[in-house]
Amino acid sequence: MNWLIHYNYWIVIVLMMIGLYLVIARANLVRKVIGLNIFQTSVFILFISIGASRGASAPILAEGIQSYANPLPHVLILTAIVVGVATTALALALIVRIHEEYGSIDDSSIHDQDDEP
Amino acid sequence: MTLLVATAIALVKLPGLFSAVMLTGIYSLLSAALFVLLDAVDVAFTEAAVGAGITTVLMLGTLSLLGVSTSDHEPIQMQPIPLIVVVITGAALIFATQDMPAFGDPDAPAHRHVAPRYLNESATEVGLPNVVTSVLASYRGYDTLGEVAVIFTAGVGVMLLLGRRRRAPRGDQDEK
């Protein structure tokens, strides 16, 4: 099983690339935001994977438990999740404004309207 | 974890914006379950509540504001150039994982620095059984202050963007 020791990291990278692909390839702005969310979650999983440790338990102090998972990545990711929702809200608000202005949330049709005087 | 990847791939292929938004909710919930498996219970709570709950509500709210015109059925086909870029980047990153310490290795560098101090001393220094809480509120309190500033800024931004012509409804966007 030695070659599986990085399996978690591989999954993280696959998810990250799926998110990146959505951001690059989809013209629809809401789908781009969904792609960003996937990317973000993959980073969360990367951090939590780094913090996990074999045979450890959740970092809540109790009698008779020898080893705990690393609490520091958990704290960082708690902050990141909430900040992520704030940025998602802002992005969606921008999309609503763009839709009011251009009547479309499609990348290419917005560009077309910009090109016409 | 493989389920997570399957959901994400379905997200890429799925036509219809509404079902894509619902799938993001499922995706968040699955990742919360994964966090429980990786011993990160606090993160799992937050992801389930905030990621699966509030994000989905925000996206549905946006869809309803955008109205019917968004029931897009853009042709879902793979586009070659983005695909090539993404595959090359992914291959480089996977090559880089060869240098990472093995998953779950208790001697990994991440476990050697400040974490032992948090685990050993926080019971006497802060006095809470939940180490995540004591790190969040005490050792790294400035992070949490910065987080509040970010949320405030985002709330103000959302209000400025949406509140100008429409007085009413976006109360839910400003709370988080």
Side-chain angles (χ1 to χ4, degrees):
Chain A
M1 293 300 274
N2 214 13
W3 55 278
L4 271 181
I5 55 174
H6 292 125
Y7 180 66
N8 261 42
Y9 302 130
W10 295 343
I11 294 286
V12 163
I13 288 166
V14 169
L15 287 175
M16 210 180 263
M17 290 305 116
I18 290 173
L20 186 61
Y21 175 81
L22 274 175
V23 174
I24 299 175
R26 289 283 173 268
N28 188 307
L29 292 178
V30 176
R31 278 180 193 275
K32 281 184 196 283
V33 173
I34 291 176
L36 277 181
N37 265 330
I38 293 182
F39 199 113
Q40 207 175 32
T41 316
S42 79
V43 175
F44 299 163
I45 297 174
L46 173 68
F47 267 68
I48 300 296
S49 300
I50 291 174
S53 150
R54 212 178 306 111
S57 72
I60 296 171
L61 301 176
E63 292 288 327
I65 293 176
Q66 294 306 317
S67 79
Y68 300 99
N70 190 342
L72 187 58
H74 298 186
V75 173
L76 298 181
I77 294 310
L78 276 182
T79 310
I81 288 177
V82 178
V83 168
V85 170
T87 49
T88 304
L90 196 61
L92 291 173
L94 274 173
I95 291 175
V96 170
R97 279 292 293 143
I98 288 173
H99 184 258
E100 280 176 6
E101 209 63 37
Y102 290 89
S104 164
I105 55 166
D106 189 90
D107 219 7
S108 49
S109 97
I110 291 170
H111 276 299
D112 289 346
Q113 291 185 38
D114 272 342
D115 289 340
E116 300 164 1
Chain B
M1 299 200 78
T2 317
L3 257 181
L4 214 57
V5 174
T7 318
I9 290 175
L11 259 175
V12 177
K13 299 297 259 178
L14 209 66
L17 221 44
F18 182 75
S19 39
V21 169
M22 291 331 281
L23 257 187
T24 34
I26 294 174
Y27 174 83
S28 283
L29 212 55
L30 277 177
S31 62
L34 178 66
F35 291 148
V36 173
L37 290 180
L38 293 175
D39 298 323
V41 280
D42 306 79
V43 181
F45 285 150
T46 317
E47 176 72 27
V50 174
I54 296 178
T55 309
T56 313
V57 169
L58 285 179
M59 290 209 170
L60 287 178
T62 313
L63 286 193
S64 75
L65 273 183
L66 297 182
V68 242
S69 64
T70 59
S71 56
D72 79 319
H73 288 282
E74 61 174 305
I76 307 286
Q77 73 241 357
M78 287 316 218
Q79 298 177 12
I81 296 177
L83 201 61
I84 292 170
V85 171
V86 160
V87 166
I88 291 176
T89 319
L93 285 175
I94 285 182
F95 178 67
T97 59
Q98 301 304 320
D99 290 339
M100 301 274 288
F103 171 69
D105 181 3
D107 292 324
H111 301 312
R112 312 295 296 270
H113 189 45
V114 288
R117 185 202 149 109
Y118 289 154
L119 289 171
N120 295 328
E121 309 291 333
S122 72
T124 48
E125 285 184 353
V126 186
L128 290 173
N130 189 337
V131 185
V132 173
T133 312
S134 37
V135 176
L136 184 77
S138 173
Y139 295 110
R140 300 197 66 92
Y142 280 119
D143 277 11
T144 311
L145 185 65
E147 173 192 351
V148 172
V150 169
I151 296 167
F152 176 74
T153 316
V156 169
V158 170
M159 278 194 286
L160 284 178
L161 280 168
L162 296 179
R164 222 157 33 130
R165 268 183 286 157
R166 195 185 310 99
R167 279 268 64 103
R170 303 311 295 163
D172 59 335
Q173 292 229 353
D174 306 325
E175 281 167 15
K176 265 291 164 182

